[in-house]
Amino acid sequence: MLRIAVIILLFVFAAVLFKFRSNEKVQKSVIYTSVAGLVIYVAYVMISELIR
């Protein structure tokens, strides 16, 4: 549950960065980190369910 909360916080952080038009490099890195975290979380959940 903590992982999904962190991923949601990253997406909120990305939205704030876009709203205030921060550095494009920072925006891209936050988006990439958020998407990668979401993909890793989904893969982790799927694999753990398959093992059970």
Side-chain angles (χ1 to χ4, degrees):
M1 193 64 182
L2 180 64
R3 290 182 191 114
I4 196 73
V6 170
I7 292 168
I8 290 171
L9 283 174
L10 281 172
F11 277 113
V12 168
F13 185 59
V16 168
L17 287 176
F18 278 112
K19 182 178 179 181
F20 293 112
R21 303 201 187 278
S22 68
N23 187 357
E24 186 177 338
K25 244 183 181 178
V26 175
Q27 288 177 347
K28 283 184 181 181
S29 64
V30 170
I31 292 295
Y32 292 149
T33 305
S34 302
V35 171
L38 185 63
V39 168
I40 290 170
Y41 178 74
V42 169
Y44 171 77
V45 169
M46 287 174 53
I47 290 170
S48 65
E49 288 297 319
L50 287 173
I51 289 174
R52 281 197 252 169

